[in-house]
Amino acid sequence: EVQLVESGGGLVQPGRSLKLSCLASGFTFSNYGMNWIRQAPGKGLEWVASISSSSSYIYYADTVKGRFTISRDNAKNTLYLQMTSLRSEDTALYYCAKGPRRGYYFDYWGQGVMVTVSS
Amino acid sequence: DVQMTQSLSYLAASPGESVSISCKASKSISNYLAWYQQKPGEAYKLLIYSGSTLQSGTPSRFSGSGSGTDFTLTIRSLEPEDFGLYYCQQYYEKPWTFGGGTKLELK
């Protein structure tokens, strides 16, 4: 059974940093692209970042480019999202999602971790 | 960016009925469209990809259709567990974008 468990969320002041983790199990992590998607309170879903299986290809939404860094450790079956220069508009539930063998849809999702940016 | 529009934010129906949820793209996305379901307290679940291909485990009462800019998710003979939120997503080009969601409620 595929499981994705996010951690690392919390309350952080504007301008500070936070690092999210996503521990994956139930599939060969190193074979699949991974993604972060977020949902602000009362808002829709927003794709944040994607990383290919070997980290060769990385993509970001313009809203986070230059501030967020997606990475992975295939030996630890873990996906990361380093978030810097956080803004109030980054407040959201952040989801880790697995990609399929081909394509950029999301075939398994975690339950999400909340990030609140506020002074 | 490709804008994805789900024209209905809410849809009320009864078990046993059939419903259709629409999703419109601001430009042609071929069939690079996925549908997701979310129920309270549960993770998002992929239902359909490539516009009409059922993800493993998706009940056959779900079907997807469309290509280009107009897409439809149809649920035949609603079951109680089908009530929840439904989102479409295009993966034709970055940034991957989602529709605003349609909440399927019990009438």
Side-chain angles (χ1 to χ4, degrees):
Chain A
E1 178 192 7
V2 172
Q3 288 199 335
L4 300 168
V5 181
E6 303 94 339
S7 61
L11 174 63
V12 61
Q13 293 179 328
R16 303 298 289 264
S17 300
L18 200 63
K19 187 172 186 177
L20 305 182
S21 299
C22 171
L23 179 61
S25 61
F27 65 102
T28 305
F29 182 74
S30 58
N31 286 351
Y32 294 91
M34 295 294 294
N35 310 271
W36 289 99
I37 297 147
R38 67 185 181 183
Q39 187 166 26
K43 302 291 186 181
L45 293 164
E46 179 188 18
W47 165 75
V48 173
S50 298
I51 185 168
S52 63
S53 58
S54 60
S55 304
S56 298
Y57 301 97
I58 290 175
Y59 308 111
Y60 296 100
D62 285 346
T63 52
V64 307
K65 197 175 296 182
R67 300 187 300 121
F68 289 12
T69 302
I70 189 173
S71 62
R72 63 191 296 161
D73 185 334
N74 286 345
K76 295 182 177 179
N77 288 352
T78 303
L79 174 73
Y80 302 101
L81 185 68
Q82 176 70 55
M83 304 183 292
T84 64
S85 302
L86 281 162
R87 307 166 180 167
S88 57
E89 53 265 37
D90 296 318
T91 294
L93 192 56
Y94 283 75
Y95 296 98
C96 162
K98 172 186 170 294
R101 285 217 179 261
R102 296 186 70 177
Y104 284 94
Y105 55 93
F106 314 110
D107 56 5
Y108 293 93
W109 298 57
Q111 294 273 15
V113 61
M114 188 67 200
V115 172
T116 303
V117 183
S118 175
S119 54
Chain B
D1 298 0
V2 180
Q3 304 301 316
M4 304 301 294
T5 302
Q6 292 179 241
S7 55
L8 285 179
S9 299
Y10 297 93
L11 180 59
S14 301
E17 292 183 351
S18 294
V19 296
S20 292
I21 297 171
S22 67
C23 175
K24 187 175 182 68
S26 61
K27 62 178 278 188
S28 177
I29 58 169
S30 184
N31 67 337
Y32 291 90
L33 185 100
W35 288 98
Y36 303 92
Q37 176 194 61
Q38 190 199 29
K39 293 190 283 187
E42 297 185 14
Y44 278 89
K45 179 181 177 183
L46 172 69
L47 297 173
I48 286 169
Y49 60 94
S50 297
S52 60
T53 303
L54 265 60
Q55 171 70 349
S56 175
T58 300
S60 58
R61 62 182 179 273
F62 289 85
S63 64
S65 62
S67 184
T69 60
D70 293 291
F71 300 86
T72 302
L73 172 69
T74 299
I75 313 171
R76 301 190 191 285
S77 190
L78 279 166
E79 296 284 344
E81 61 266 28
D82 297 337
F83 293 93
L85 275 163
Y86 291 85
Y87 291 88
C88 61
Q89 177 234 335
Q90 67 81 20
Y91 53 101
Y92 177 75
E93 65 180 34
K94 295 183 295 299
W96 328 125
T97 48
F98 295 83
T102 297
K103 187 174 184 180
L104 178 58
E105 297 181 316
L106 183 63
K107 186 187 290 183

